[in-house]
C-alpha cells in the first residue's frame, strides 16, 4: 500500500516545528479528529462506570467497564492486520460510523438486566479502537513528514491529555442531568464529527496488494518484524514495564490521598496536575526526540517517572503535587518515542500490524498493573511499595541505555 504525501513542509528548526505541524492541513485535521473523538471517549469512560454503579451498587461491576474496553488489546496483532488489508482512510471512516451506530443502542440500557448490552458495546468499542489506532498510525506515517512525526505524536498526546482534563467533568455533569444515554449520544455525535474530518483528508491511497498468505501468517509477520528489530524491541519492552508500573502507581492514588489527610476528591487535583505535565511534554516531544534520539528521550522520561513515583511516599502536599506533575511529564516519553520509532522503522504494508502489536505489548501491562496494584495497596506499606516501583523503573531505564543497537537512529 502506498500513500501520497500531499504537503511538504520547509525548514527544520525546533522552534517552529509545532507550528509546521499545525499549519499542515492533513496533520491539523488528524489532530482535530483526536480532540473530538477523545472528548467523547473520555466522557463515556467515566460515565459508564458511574452508570453501572448506579444500576447495581457494585464497585466490581463498575470496574469491569474499564476491563471490557481494554480486553481487545490482547488481540491487537490480529486486529491490526485489518489495517494492512484495506485502505486506511476508508477504514477510519467506517470504524467511526460503526461506533456512532453501535453507541445508539445504549439508549436501551435502563436496568441491571440490560447491562450486558453496555458491556458488549464497550468491548466492541475497545476492538474498534485497536483497529482505529493501527490505521491512524499507518496513515499518519505516510501523510506527515518524517521529521515531524515526533512533533505530531507529542501534539497527539497533548490533545488526548487535554481532553482528559475537561471531558470527564463534562460527562459526569451530563450524566447527572440527563442519564447515561445522553453521554452515549454525545459520544456518537463526536464519532460522526470525526468521520467528517477524516473524509476531508487529502490523502491518496492505492489499494493494498492481495495477500499471499492467510490471516494467521500475516499477523505473525508483524510480530516477527517488531521482535527482530534491534531498535523497536527494547523501546516497546521498556514501554510495557513502564506501563505496568504506571498501573500499580494509579492504584495507589487514593492511598496517597489518605496519607496526606485529604478527602478522596483531592485525587482530582493530583490528576489535573499530572495531566498538565503530560500536556507540556507533548509540546516538547518533537524537539527532544530530534536532540536526544528516541532511546535517550525514553530513558530520561522513565528515570523522571521513577524519581517521581518514589517521592510520592513522602506525606507532603507540595511533594505530592510536584511528583504528580513529574509523573505526567515522564510517563508519556517512552510511549511517544516507541510509537514514533515504529512509524519510522516499519515498512508501510506492515505498519498496521506492527503498531497494533506494539500497542498490545505496551498497554496490556497497564491493566495487569491496575489489578496487581489494587491488591498490593491493601497488603503493602506505601513507603515500601512506591520506592520498589521506582527501583524497577530505574532498572528499566538503565537496561534501555545499555541495550546495544546497530542503528544510529535508534539512539
Amino acid at each position: 500500500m502506498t500513500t501520497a504525501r500531499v504537503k511538504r513542509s520547509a525548514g527544520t528548526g525546533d522552534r517552529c516545528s509545532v507550528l509546521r505541524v499545525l499549519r499542515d492541513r492533513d496533520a491539523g485535521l488528524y489532530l482535530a479528529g483526536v480532540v473530538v473523538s477523545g472528548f467523547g471517549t473520555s466522557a463515556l469512560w467515566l460515565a459508564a462506570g458511574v452508570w453501572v454503579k448506579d444500576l447495581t451498587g457494585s464497585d466490581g461491576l463498575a470496574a469491569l467497564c474499564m476491563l471490557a474496553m481494554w480486553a481487545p488489546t490482547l488481540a491487537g496483532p490480529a486486529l491490526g492486520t485489518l489495517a494492512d488489508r484495506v485502505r486506511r482512510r476508508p477504514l477510519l471512516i467506517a470504524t467511526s460510523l460503526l461506533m456512532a451506530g453501535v453507541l445508539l443502542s445504549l439508549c436501551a440500557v435502563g436496568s441491571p438486566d440490560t447491562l450486558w448490552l453496555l458491556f458488549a458495546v464497550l468491548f466492541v468499542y475497545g476492538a474498534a479502537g485497536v483497529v482505529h489506532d493501527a490505521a491512524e498510525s499507518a496513515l499518519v506515517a505516510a501523510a506527515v513528514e518524517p521529521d515531524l512525526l515526533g512533533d505530531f505524536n507529542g501534539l497527539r498526546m497533548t490533545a488526548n491529555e487535554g481532553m482528559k482534563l475537561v471531558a470527564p467533568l463534562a460527562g459526569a455533569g451530563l450524566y447527572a442531568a440527563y442519564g447515561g444515554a445522553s453521554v452515549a449520544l454525545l459520544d456518537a455525535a463526536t464519532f460522526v464529527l470525526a468521520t467528517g474530518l477524516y473524509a476531508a483528508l487529502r490523502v491518496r491511497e492505492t489499494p493494498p496488494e492481495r495477500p499471499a498468505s492467510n490471516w494467521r501468517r500475516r499477523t505473525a509477520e508483524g510480530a516477527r518484524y517488531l521482535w527482530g528489530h534491534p531498535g523497536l524491541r527494547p523501546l516497546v519492552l521498556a514501554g510495557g514495564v513502564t506501563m505496568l508500573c504506571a498501573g500499580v502507581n494509579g492504584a495507589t492514588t487514593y492511598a496517597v490521598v489518605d496519607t496526606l489527610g485529604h478527602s478522596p476528591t483531592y485525587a482530582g487535583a493530583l490528576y489535573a496536575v499530572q495531566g498538565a505535565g503530560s500536556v507540556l511534554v507533548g509540546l516538547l516531544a518533537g524537539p527532544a526526540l530530534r536532540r536526544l534520539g528516541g532511546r535517550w528521550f525514553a530513558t530520561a522520561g522513565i528515570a523522571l517517572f521513577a524519581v517521581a513515583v518514589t517521592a510520592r511516599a513522602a506525606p507532603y502536599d507540595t511533594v505530592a503535587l510536584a511528583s504528580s506533575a513529574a509523573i505526567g511529564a515522564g510517563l508519556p516519553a517512552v510511549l511517544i518515542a516507541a510509537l514514533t520509532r515504529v512509524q519510522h522503522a516499519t515498512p508501510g504494508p506492515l505498519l498496521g500490524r506492527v503498531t497494533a502489536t506494539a500497542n498490545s505489548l505496551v498497554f496490556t501491562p497497564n491493566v495487569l498493573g491496575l489489578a496487581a496494584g489494587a491488591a498490593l495497596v491493601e497488603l503493602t506499606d506505601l513507603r515500601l511499595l512506591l520506592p520498589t516501583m521506582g527501583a524497577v523503573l530505574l532498572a528499566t531505564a538503565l537496561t534501555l541505555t545499555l541495550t546495544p543497537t546497530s542503528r544510529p537512529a535508534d539512539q
Side-chain angles (χ1 to χ4, degrees):
M1 180 187 299
T2 59
T3 305
R5 297 182 198 278
V6 181
K7 288 196 174 183
R8 298 275 180 182
S9 300
T12 58
D14 286 340
R15 288 177 297 178
C16 63
S17 58
V18 171
L19 293 178
R20 288 168 59 200
V21 173
L22 295 176
R23 283 200 298 263
D24 185 276
R25 181 179 181 276
D26 285 332
L29 287 171
Y30 278 121
L31 289 171
V34 169
V35 170
V36 169
S37 60
F39 183 90
T41 298
S42 296
L44 183 68
W45 170 76
L46 176 66
V50 178
W51 200 353
V52 172
K53 173 70 173 177
D54 282 348
L55 288 176
T56 66
S58 171
D59 291 328
L61 287 175
L64 284 180
C65 292
M66 181 180 293
L67 179 61
M69 293 183 72
W70 277 98
T73 58
L74 294 172
L79 292 171
T81 303
L82 179 61
D84 291 334
R85 184 65 188 88
V86 299
R87 289 184 296 158
R88 277 81 180 243
R89 187 174 73 109
L91 181 58
L92 287 177
I93 293 172
T95 302
S96 297
L97 288 176
L98 170 66
M99 286 314 304
V102 168
L103 282 164
L104 296 179
S105 67
L106 293 183
C107 293
V109 176
S111 68
D113 292 338
T114 56
L115 275 183
W116 66 269
L117 180 58
L118 174 59
F119 287 115
V121 169
L122 291 177
F123 185 84
V124 173
Y125 201 114
V130 172
V131 175
H132 184 281
D133 288 348
E136 181 188 77
S137 174
L139 197 57
V140 164
V144 175
E145 289 296 303
D147 65 326
L148 293 181
L149 281 174
D151 299 276
F152 178 89
N153 291 328
L155 287 173
R156 190 181 190 281
M157 178 68 69
T158 294
N160 272 328
E161 294 302 319
M163 286 303 96
K164 290 177 183 177
L165 294 176
V166 297
L169 293 176
L174 190 61
Y175 176 86
Y178 302 106
S182 64
V183 184
L185 291 174
L186 169 66
D187 198 9
T190 64
F191 273 112
V192 172
L193 184 53
T195 298
L197 293 169
Y198 297 139
L201 293 171
R202 295 174 181 171
V203 178
R204 296 187 300 272
E205 297 181 274
T206 57
E209 297 180 1
R210 183 180 297 276
S213 57
N214 59 32
W215 193 285
R216 174 187 287 183
R217 290 183 178 179
R218 296 200 303 275
T219 298
E221 286 173 359
R224 281 198 301 268
Y225 182 86
L226 188 152
W227 198 255
H229 195 288
L232 294 181
R233 186 176 65 246
L235 271 176
V236 169
L237 291 179
V241 175
T242 301
M243 291 305 292
L244 176 69
C245 293
V248 177
N249 175 67
T252 67
T253 297
Y254 290 102
V256 169
V257 171
D258 283 342
T259 64
L260 296 173
H262 294 293
S263 70
T265 57
Y266 189 75
L270 298 181
Y271 282 128
V273 173
Q274 181 174 327
S278 296
V279 168
L280 177 62
V281 79
L283 295 173
L284 300 176
L289 281 169
R290 282 188 289 274
R291 292 177 183 275
L292 300 176
R295 191 167 61 146
W296 287 104
F297 177 55
T299 298
I302 296 170
L304 177 60
F305 184 29
V307 173
V309 167
T310 302
R312 293 187 90 192
Y316 304 105
D317 282 4
T318 303
V319 174
L321 291 169
S323 63
S324 291
I327 288 169
L331 177 58
V334 67
L335 307 180
I336 296 171
L339 175 58
T340 303
R341 190 71 194 116
V342 166
Q343 291 171 321
H344 276 149
T346 307
L350 278 173
L351 190 48
R353 283 164 282 178
V354 175
T355 296
T357 302
N359 285 343
S360 292
L361 292 173
V362 169
F363 292 110
T364 299
N366 184 248
V367 182
L368 302 177
L370 283 168
L376 289 172
V377 75
E378 298 290 339
L379 303 173
T380 310
D381 193 302
L382 286 181
R383 290 171 295 182
L384 174 61
L385 179 58
L386 292 173
T388 298
M389 276 197 302
V392 172
L393 288 164
L394 284 176
T396 302
L398 179 61
T399 301
L400 190 57
T401 65
L402 298 177
T403 301
T405 177
S406 59
R407 302 167 186 257
D410 297 335
Q411 301 294 327

